[in-house]
Amino acid sequence: AQSVTQLGSHVSVSEGALVLLRCNYSSSVPPYLFWYVQYPNQGLQLLLKYTSAATLVKGINGFEAEFKKSETSFHLTKPSAHMSDAAEYFCAVTDTGTASKLTFGTGTRLQVTL
Amino acid sequence: EAGVAQSPRYKIIEKRQSVAFWCNPISGHATLYWYQQILGQGPKLLIQFQNNGVVDDSQLPKDRFSAERLKGVDSTLKIQPAKLEDSAVYLCASSLGPSGSYEQYFGPGTRLTVT
């Protein structure tokens, strides 16, 4: 069974500062890993995904994440925060089987201040 | 390309009443998912369809929840009777196939409030 732990339910950064959202996973088999963003009253949108190719994954809106097997981590980063990045971010994991379901973390709400 | 459509967007009902949600996936997507997202939590999978067959419904409370995907396209999720703890956002998603490598596209969700 897979699980995901997101450290920090709320993160606040200043506009222009580094964004770091933490995600650790637990999986007995090689996983696929995802980051989704959710804006108020909207569904989830995929930011990026790791599917066993390059360990450094680049996504939309300037976000990237690095898969570190030794640390079982998949932290999300962005060099410079923008006000429009304020949203809820979810890390998710699935296994590499042919019929796999996503298991989500509890989410991290990112606040961006002036 | 049209996204995943859901209706209604909001619903308020009293406990013990019934309610139904509708989802229209992206055209050509064989796999359809229903998730429950309780406030402050991540989405939890309720049921997964592959075409019109059920792949996984292990977390669906079958005594009160039911779902169908007739003809392998649109899907309906029903709750009967509703309980207070069913208050949540119900998200529908679709993907080309069931493998984890396929991206899931999410609809805007239906926010259910049970009073």
Side-chain angles (χ1 to χ4, degrees):
Chain A
Q2 298 108 1
S3 66
V4 167
T5 301
Q6 291 185 241
L7 294 176
S9 58
H10 290 83
V11 171
S12 181
V13 300
S14 300
E15 190 174 36
L18 171 71
V19 175
L20 171 60
L21 304 182
R22 300 179 185 274
C23 172
N24 288 88
Y25 69 90
S26 172
S27 177
S28 57
V29 297
Y32 291 154
L33 292 158
F34 306 80
W35 276 100
Y36 282 85
V37 62
Q38 186 175 35
Y39 297 100
N41 299 316
Q42 295 186 28
L44 281 74
Q45 179 184 8
L46 182 67
L47 277 177
L48 50 80
K49 64 180 180 181
Y50 166 77
T51 56
S52 71
T55 56
L56 181 62
V57 181
K58 295 187 183 298
I60 62 172
N61 301 339
F63 285 94
E64 63 181 37
E66 186 173 7
F67 173 70
K68 292 187 176 180
K69 184 177 180 180
S70 61
E71 299 178 6
T72 61
S73 69
F74 190 58
H75 301 330
L76 181 71
T77 61
K78 181 174 180 178
S80 177
H82 192 272
M83 295 296 288
S84 61
D85 295 326
E88 187 94 20
Y89 292 80
F90 292 94
C91 183
V93 64
T94 186
D95 64 46
T96 57
T98 56
S100 304
K101 68 179 184 183
L102 282 173
T103 299
F104 286 86
T106 52
T108 297
R109 181 165 299 278
L110 176 65
Q111 180 182 19
V112 182
T113 59
L114 289 172
Chain B
E1 178 183 79
V4 176
Q6 291 188 247
S7 68
R9 290 295 313 275
Y10 305 91
K11 190 74 176 179
I12 301 174
I13 62 172
E14 295 181 352
K15 60 183 179 183
R16 292 187 289 273
Q17 287 186 325
S18 63
V19 64
F21 313 127
W22 173 82
C23 172
N24 179 238
I26 292 173
S27 177
H29 281 196
T31 310
L32 185 145
Y33 312 80
W34 282 102
Y35 290 87
Q36 179 191 58
Q37 186 178 16
I38 294 174
L39 186 64
Q41 299 181 20
K44 181 186 79 173
L45 181 70
L46 292 175
I47 189 167
Q48 177 182 349
F49 291 95
Q50 177 65 15
N51 296 309
N52 59 351
V54 175
V55 174
D56 184 346
D57 64 356
S58 58
Q59 297 192 88
L60 186 73
K62 299 180 186 61
D63 58 332
R64 298 184 300 106
F65 286 64
S66 64
E68 60 183 10
R69 191 184 184 197
L70 300 176
K71 301 180 182 179
V73 182
D74 293 3
S75 177
T76 303
L77 176 69
K78 296 180 181 178
I79 307 175
Q80 182 180 7
K83 294 184 175 182
L84 295 176
E85 58 261 37
D86 298 331
S87 293
V89 175
Y90 291 85
L91 295 165
C92 179
S94 69
S95 64
L96 282 170
S99 167
S101 63
Y102 289 112
E103 178 178 349
Q104 293 186 27
Y105 294 83
F106 285 79
T110 297
R111 182 176 299 276
L112 173 67
T113 302
V114 182
T115 63

